[in-house]
Amino acid sequence: MKRIAVLTSGGDAPGMNAAIRAVVRSGLSRGWEVFGVQHGYAGLVGGEIRNLSARDVGGIIQQGGTMLGSARAPEFKTIEGRTKALRHLHQHDISGLVVIGGNGSQTGAHALSQMGLEVVGVASTIDNDLYGSEMTIGVDTALNIALEAIDRLKNTASSHQRAFLLEVMGRDCGYLALMSGIAGGAESIVIPEVPTEPETIAQELRSAYERGKAHAIVVVAEGAKYNAEALANYFKEHREELGFELRAATLGHIQRGGLPGAFDRILATRFGAAAVAALDRGEHGVLVGLNKGAITTTPYAEVTGKKKPLDLGLLELAKQLDG
Ligand code: F6P
């Protein structure tokens, strides 16, 4: 009988619980024993490992966050930390590990795999910046949360003829800002991939008012050259010459919480089951992802350290459609 473990690491993402459930139940259905590691790599280094039954993962598919907890674990970045982690797995006679997480987590998983452990990654981060998967767990739900915020801001923006700026997460990647900006019909989208000066944004907003719009919304990625705070300061300083006011809101961690939508639950379920299937056929050192509509596995050597490209044609599309 095979014994495997599952952990969630890095920033949590809505849908992680659905992936845990799929890993546990797919493993159990093969007659394996499945263990959960609490608090990501920190818990692996500390030996926080417990057996999981089918009932332990009951009623979690609809819950946001992760029932296993997550953490950012500096100790795991050292060889000593990883050696400790492996020792704990050996003590439980665990031969396979499923790592549900984003870029940093999969880099850690790659390192464990290079130390001889059978590891399979599951692409999960709201940032959608992980090479090897066109969509990652949590992105769709996070996008819908950003979208709701944009829609709400539009109401108040129109009532007051004020410009609004919404900062969304994404680390160094503009995916969430770009896609929520398109879906929300924002007048200006600011992403790290295209450094934009405050004067350009001001011009885009002014032009929106000149065209008779009642609102002007900017969606800015947290990793952009000028974030919400910097832009809000600029607009405050230039309020008189601009002729309109701007208010800024930062969505922050609100974007990572909430119930996972159907897309993320299904994606996570398919990813979790595929990770166990990969371990079953002896395939490891790979990341499970979604590519061209199919569930795929990509070797870690092709995934880690790579920058996922953003389709900048979509930014042009947003500009074109801003009538
Ligand atoms: O990677 C997910 C993410 O939410 C990023 O969008 C954000 O920059 C970061 O995590 C925030 O990290 P923390 O929760 O550690 O503050």
Side-chain angles (χ1 to χ4, degrees), residues 238-252:
H238 296 81
R239 165 122 189 44
E240 291 308 317
E241 55 193 276
L242 287 169
F244 59 87
E245 265 186 290
L246 177 132
R247 294 276 199 271
T250 299
L251 205 47

Side-chain angles (χ1 to χ4, degrees), residues 10-12 72 125-127 129 168-172 176 222 252-253 256:
D12 63 345
R72 308 216 184 262
T125 164
I126 64 161
D127 300 338
D129 61 348
V168 298
M169 280 189 161
R171 211 177 280 278
D172 302 324
L176 284 175
E222 65 175 349
H253 289 81
R256 266 191 1 213

